[in-house]
Amino acid sequence: MEIREATADDIDAIRSIAQRSLESTYTEFLDEDTVADAIEQWYGDSFDDALEDDHSLILVVEDDGDVVGFSQNDLIGQRYDTGRILWLHIDPDHRGGGTGVRLLVRTRERLLDEGADHVQGLVLEDNEGGNEFYADNGFERAGQREVEIGDETFTENVYAEDEIGEEGWGAVDELETDGETIYVSYGEAARGAKAPFYSAYKSEGRQDLYGWFCGNCDSLENTMDTMGRIECNNCGNRRKATRWDASYL
Protein backbone atom coordinates (compact mmCIF):
# COMPACT_ATOMS: atom_id res chain seq x y z
CA MET A 1 0.00 0.00 0.00
CA GLU A 2 1.37 3.41 -0.99
CA ILE A 3 0.05 6.82 0.06
CA ARG A 4 1.19 9.63 -2.23
CA GLU A 5 0.15 13.01 -3.58
CA ALA A 6 -2.49 12.92 -6.28
CA THR A 7 -1.74 13.88 -9.88
CA ALA A 8 -3.97 14.78 -12.82
CA ASP A 9 -3.87 11.12 -13.86
CA ASP A 10 -5.77 10.22 -10.67
CA ILE A 11 -8.77 12.51 -11.27
CA ASP A 12 -11.02 9.88 -12.85
CA ALA A 13 -10.26 7.38 -10.06
CA ILE A 14 -10.88 10.02 -7.38
CA ARG A 15 -14.18 11.00 -8.93
CA SER A 16 -15.26 7.35 -9.17
CA ILE A 17 -14.29 6.61 -5.54
CA ALA A 18 -16.10 9.71 -4.30
CA GLN A 19 -19.26 8.70 -6.16
CA ARG A 20 -19.14 5.08 -4.96
CA SER A 21 -18.45 6.21 -1.41
CA LEU A 22 -21.24 8.77 -1.34
CA GLU A 23 -23.72 6.34 -2.90
CA SER A 24 -22.86 3.59 -0.41
CA THR A 25 -22.86 5.72 2.75
CA TYR A 26 -24.62 9.03 2.23
CA THR A 27 -27.83 8.08 0.43
CA GLU A 28 -29.53 7.53 3.80
CA PHE A 29 -29.71 11.31 4.12
CA LEU A 30 -28.76 12.62 0.63
CA ASP A 31 -30.97 11.97 -2.40
CA GLU A 32 -29.52 10.95 -5.76
CA ASP A 33 -29.69 14.47 -7.19
CA THR A 34 -27.78 15.90 -4.22
CA VAL A 35 -25.08 13.23 -4.57
CA ALA A 36 -24.77 14.09 -8.26
CA ASP A 37 -24.52 17.80 -7.38
CA ALA A 38 -21.78 17.04 -4.83
CA ILE A 39 -19.71 15.06 -7.33
CA GLU A 40 -19.95 17.80 -9.96
CA GLN A 41 -19.35 20.57 -7.42
CA TRP A 42 -16.20 19.09 -5.88
CA TYR A 43 -14.78 16.76 -8.52
CA GLY A 44 -15.83 18.36 -11.78
CA ASP A 45 -13.77 20.71 -13.96
CA SER A 46 -12.70 22.83 -10.97
CA PHE A 47 -10.89 19.91 -9.36
CA ASP A 48 -7.85 20.59 -11.54
CA ASP A 49 -7.44 23.89 -9.69
CA ALA A 50 -7.44 22.11 -6.33
CA LEU A 51 -4.57 19.89 -7.49
CA GLU A 52 -2.53 22.95 -8.44
CA ASP A 53 -3.36 25.08 -5.38
CA ASP A 54 -0.32 25.64 -3.13
CA HIS A 55 -2.54 25.48 -0.05
CA SER A 56 -4.35 22.31 -1.07
CA LEU A 57 -3.18 18.77 -0.33
CA ILE A 58 -4.77 15.74 -1.99
CA LEU A 59 -3.45 12.30 -1.14
CA VAL A 60 -4.36 8.96 -2.69
CA VAL A 61 -4.01 5.40 -1.43
CA GLU A 62 -2.67 3.05 -4.08
CA ASP A 63 -2.93 -0.72 -3.63
CA ASP A 64 -1.47 -3.07 -6.25
CA GLY A 65 -1.48 -0.23 -8.78
CA ASP A 66 -5.09 0.82 -8.17
CA VAL A 67 -6.22 3.97 -6.38
CA VAL A 68 -8.57 2.81 -3.60
CA GLY A 69 -9.00 5.94 -1.48
CA PHE A 70 -8.13 9.61 -1.15
CA SER A 71 -8.18 12.56 1.23
CA GLN A 72 -8.90 16.14 0.18
CA ASN A 73 -7.35 18.76 2.46
CA ASP A 74 -6.40 22.40 2.67
CA LEU A 75 -4.47 24.88 4.81
CA ILE A 76 -6.34 27.99 5.93
CA GLY A 77 -5.89 30.96 8.24
CA GLN A 78 -3.78 34.08 8.09
CA ARG A 79 -0.60 32.00 8.35
CA TYR A 80 -2.11 28.88 6.78
CA ASP A 81 -1.58 27.13 10.10
CA THR A 82 -4.89 25.25 10.28
CA GLY A 83 -4.97 21.99 8.37
CA ARG A 84 -8.44 20.76 7.40
CA ILE A 85 -9.40 17.29 6.25
CA LEU A 86 -12.33 18.15 4.01
CA TRP A 87 -13.10 14.67 2.71
CA LEU A 88 -11.66 11.22 3.29
CA HIS A 89 -13.13 8.50 1.08
CA ILE A 90 -12.23 4.82 0.81
CA ASP A 91 -13.67 2.69 -1.96
CA PRO A 92 -16.43 0.53 -0.41
CA ASP A 93 -14.68 -2.65 -1.59
CA HIS A 94 -11.53 -1.74 0.38
CA ARG A 95 -13.04 -0.75 3.72
CA GLY A 96 -12.56 -2.59 6.98
CA GLY A 97 -8.83 -3.33 6.71
CA GLY A 98 -7.45 -0.23 8.39
CA THR A 99 -6.95 1.69 5.13
CA GLY A 100 -8.96 4.67 6.34
CA VAL A 101 -7.03 4.93 9.61
CA ARG A 102 -3.69 4.81 7.83
CA LEU A 103 -4.79 7.47 5.37
CA LEU A 104 -6.00 9.65 8.26
CA VAL A 105 -2.68 9.29 10.04
CA ARG A 106 -0.57 10.03 6.95
CA THR A 107 -2.81 12.99 6.05
CA ARG A 108 -2.38 14.45 9.53
CA GLU A 109 1.39 14.05 9.32
CA ARG A 110 1.59 15.69 5.90
CA LEU A 111 -0.54 18.66 7.00
CA LEU A 112 1.76 19.19 9.98
CA ASP A 113 4.78 18.92 7.67
CA GLU A 114 3.22 21.57 5.43
CA GLY A 115 3.09 24.03 8.33
CA ALA A 116 -0.18 23.32 10.14
CA ASP A 117 -0.13 23.85 13.91
CA HIS A 118 -3.30 21.82 14.37
CA VAL A 119 -5.58 19.63 12.28
CA GLN A 120 -9.36 19.58 11.94
CA GLY A 121 -11.63 16.99 10.37
CA LEU A 122 -14.95 17.89 8.74
CA VAL A 123 -17.84 15.45 8.40
CA LEU A 124 -21.53 15.89 7.69
CA GLU A 125 -23.61 15.81 10.87
CA ASP A 126 -25.86 13.06 9.51
CA ASN A 127 -22.95 10.77 8.58
CA GLU A 128 -22.98 8.53 11.65
CA GLY A 129 -20.07 6.36 10.51
CA GLY A 130 -17.90 9.35 9.65
CA ASN A 131 -18.50 10.95 13.03
CA GLU A 132 -17.61 7.70 14.80
CA PHE A 133 -14.46 7.42 12.69
CA TYR A 134 -13.06 10.72 13.96
CA ALA A 135 -14.20 10.12 17.54
CA ASP A 136 -12.53 6.69 17.54
CA ASN A 137 -9.23 8.05 16.23
CA GLY A 138 -8.14 10.83 18.53
CA PHE A 139 -10.51 13.67 17.58
CA GLU A 140 -13.34 15.34 19.46
CA ARG A 141 -16.17 17.53 18.15
CA ALA A 142 -15.24 21.19 18.49
CA GLY A 143 -17.99 23.00 16.58
CA GLN A 144 -20.20 23.11 13.50
CA ARG A 145 -20.44 24.98 10.20
CA GLU A 146 -22.79 25.12 7.24
CA VAL A 147 -21.92 23.71 3.81
CA GLU A 148 -23.85 24.07 0.57
CA ILE A 149 -24.35 21.11 -1.74
CA GLY A 150 -26.17 22.15 -4.87
CA ASP A 151 -29.15 24.21 -3.75
CA GLU A 152 -29.27 22.74 -0.24
CA THR A 153 -27.50 23.64 3.00
CA PHE A 154 -26.21 20.99 5.39
CA THR A 155 -24.50 21.02 8.78
CA GLU A 156 -20.94 19.76 9.12
CA ASN A 157 -19.35 18.80 12.42
CA VAL A 158 -15.85 20.14 12.95
CA TYR A 159 -13.51 17.77 14.79
CA ALA A 160 -10.24 18.78 16.43
CA GLU A 161 -7.52 16.59 17.86
CA ASP A 162 -7.78 15.72 21.52
CA GLU A 163 -4.95 17.07 23.64
CA ILE A 164 -2.12 14.57 23.36
CA GLY A 165 -1.14 13.33 26.80
CA GLU A 166 1.53 10.91 27.95
CA GLU A 167 -0.30 8.03 26.29
CA GLY A 168 0.16 9.61 22.85
CA TRP A 169 -2.26 10.27 20.03
CA GLY A 170 -5.36 8.12 20.18
CA ALA A 171 -5.31 6.37 16.78
CA VAL A 172 -4.73 2.64 17.30
CA ASP A 173 -5.14 0.12 14.49
CA GLU A 174 -5.85 -3.56 15.17
CA LEU A 175 -4.04 -5.85 12.73
CA GLU A 176 -3.77 -9.59 12.24
CA THR A 177 -0.28 -10.97 11.55
CA ASP A 178 0.99 -14.55 11.64
CA GLY A 179 -2.16 -15.71 13.39
CA GLU A 180 -2.04 -13.17 16.20
CA THR A 181 -3.48 -9.71 16.81
CA ILE A 182 -1.23 -6.71 17.27
CA TYR A 183 -2.08 -3.05 17.87
CA VAL A 184 -0.32 -0.29 15.94
CA SER A 185 -0.16 3.04 17.81
CA TYR A 186 -0.05 5.82 15.22
CA GLY A 187 0.55 8.39 17.94
CA GLU A 188 4.01 6.96 18.52
CA ALA A 189 5.89 7.64 15.32
CA ALA A 190 9.59 7.57 14.52
CA ARG A 191 10.54 9.43 11.35
CA GLY A 192 11.93 7.20 8.60
CA ALA A 193 13.52 8.00 5.25
CA LYS A 194 10.47 6.85 3.26
CA ALA A 195 7.69 6.96 5.89
CA PRO A 196 7.36 6.85 9.69
CA PHE A 197 7.73 3.74 11.80
CA TYR A 198 5.00 3.17 14.40
CA SER A 199 5.11 1.31 17.70
CA ALA A 200 3.23 -2.01 17.65
CA TYR A 201 1.93 -3.60 20.84
CA LYS A 202 0.66 -7.00 21.92
CA SER A 203 -2.39 -5.49 23.64
CA GLU A 204 -4.76 -2.61 23.02
CA GLY A 205 -3.61 -1.05 26.29
CA ARG A 206 -0.15 -0.56 24.74
CA GLN A 207 1.76 -2.19 27.59
CA ASP A 208 3.89 -4.88 25.89
CA LEU A 209 5.85 -3.69 22.86
CA TYR A 210 5.66 -6.13 19.94
CA GLY A 211 7.96 -4.28 17.54
CA TRP A 212 7.84 -1.62 14.84
CA PHE A 213 5.36 -1.22 11.99
CA CYS A 214 6.72 0.28 8.75
CA GLY A 215 4.39 2.99 7.45
CA ASN A 216 5.84 2.65 3.95
CA CYS A 217 5.06 -1.00 3.25
CA ASP A 218 2.94 -2.11 6.25
CA SER A 219 5.58 -4.62 7.33
CA LEU A 220 6.50 -5.75 10.84
CA GLU A 221 9.80 -7.21 9.61
CA ASN A 222 11.92 -4.43 11.09
CA THR A 223 15.08 -4.45 13.16
CA MET A 224 16.50 -1.93 15.64
CA ASP A 225 20.14 -1.83 16.69
CA THR A 226 21.66 -0.56 19.94
CA MET A 227 22.01 2.94 18.43
CA GLY A 228 18.27 3.25 17.83
CA ARG A 229 18.49 2.73 14.08
CA ILE A 230 15.43 1.02 12.61
CA GLU A 231 15.47 -0.66 9.20
CA CYS A 232 12.63 -2.36 7.37
CA ASN A 233 13.81 -5.68 6.01
CA ASN A 234 11.07 -5.56 3.38
CA CYS A 235 11.40 -2.13 1.71
CA GLY A 236 14.61 -0.64 3.14
CA ASN A 237 12.90 2.23 4.99
CA ARG A 238 15.31 3.49 7.66
CA ARG A 239 15.45 5.64 10.75
CA LYS A 240 18.80 7.20 11.62
CA ALA A 241 20.56 6.48 14.88
CA THR A 242 19.18 8.34 17.91
CA ARG A 243 22.26 7.91 20.13
CA TRP A 244 25.98 8.57 19.69
CA ASP A 245 28.28 5.56 19.36
CA ALA A 246 31.13 6.13 21.83
CA SER A 247 33.57 4.26 19.57
CA TYR A 248 33.38 7.16 17.10
CA LEU A 249 34.17 9.88 19.68
Side-chain angles (χ1 to χ4, degrees):
M1 182 186 299
E2 179 186 4
I3 298 176
R4 57 171 174 81
E5 286 196 39
T7 69
D9 293 336
D10 299 314
I11 290 177
D12 288 344
I14 289 172
R15 183 184 178 98
S16 176
I17 290 169
Q19 183 162 352
R20 284 168 51 80
S21 178
L22 289 171
E23 289 176 346
S24 68
T25 306
Y26 290 73
T27 50
E28 293 181 3
F29 54 90
L30 298 179
D31 59 35
E32 293 182 3
D33 290 340
T34 303
V35 169
D37 287 340
I39 296 299
E40 183 58 35
Q41 180 175 324
W42 295 317
Y43 306 107
D45 294 338
S46 63
F47 191 63
D48 288 340
D49 296 333
L51 284 173
E52 300 296 329
D53 190 334
D54 290 339
H55 303 297
S56 175
L57 175 68
I58 300 169
L59 301 179
V60 297
V61 182
E62 192 172 45
D63 189 18
D64 291 333
D66 295 325
V67 174
V68 300
F70 73 93
S71 67
Q72 183 177 359
N73 320 276
D74 64 8
L75 291 156
I76 63 169
Q78 188 173 3
R79 294 182 295 129
Y80 298 103
D81 56 358
T82 297
R84 297 191 305 179
I85 304 172
L86 303 173
W87 291 99
L88 192 153
H89 288 293
I90 303 298
D91 187 279
D93 291 340
H94 290 81
R95 294 175 182 171
T99 303
V101 175
R102 295 176 210 180
L103 178 57
L104 172 66
V105 169
R106 194 67 58 83
T107 297
R108 171 185 175 270
E109 291 169 347
R110 283 296 309 274
L111 287 169
L112 294 176
D113 287 343
E114 293 293 328
D117 289 337
H118 54 281
V119 176
Q120 298 177 347
L122 307 179
V123 60
L124 291 177
E125 181 182 36
D126 292 325
N127 181 1
E128 182 177 342
N131 283 273
E132 290 179 356
F133 176 74
Y134 279 106
D136 289 344
N137 289 292
F139 287 75
E140 62 179 1
R141 202 179 81 174
Q144 292 183 321
R145 71 168 202 164
E146 301 300 313
V147 59
E148 293 184 1
I149 304 177
D151 296 327
E152 297 185 68
T153 301
F154 297 87
T155 299
E156 274 189 328
N157 286 334
V158 179
Y159 282 85
E161 291 182 89
D162 287 339
E163 183 177 350
I164 299 176
E166 294 181 358
E167 71 279 2
W169 191 46
V172 177
D173 192 13
E174 180 179 324
L175 299 177
E176 293 289 334
T177 178
D178 295 330
E180 61 181 319
T181 302
I182 59 101
Y183 298 86
V184 179
S185 176
Y186 290 113
E188 302 172 49
R191 184 178 294 275
K194 298 180 179 180
F197 291 94
Y198 304 102
S199 299
Y201 291 89
K202 297 178 182 179
S203 65
E204 192 172 5
R206 292 180 280 173
Q207 296 173 339
D208 298 319
L209 186 67
Y210 180 94
W212 291 92
F213 180 77
C214 176
N216 186 58
C217 69
D218 296 351
S219 173
L220 285 160
E221 297 296 322
N222 305 294
T223 56
M224 176 187 283
D225 64 16
T226 57
M227 304 305 298
R229 283 182 287 252
I230 306 173
E231 181 170 359
C232 177
N233 299 326
N234 186 51
C235 72
N237 187 24
R238 294 181 180 181
R239 181 181 79 162
K240 294 181 180 179
T242 58
R243 296 185 292 276
W244 289 102
D245 187 337
S247 66
Y248 287 94
L249 297 179

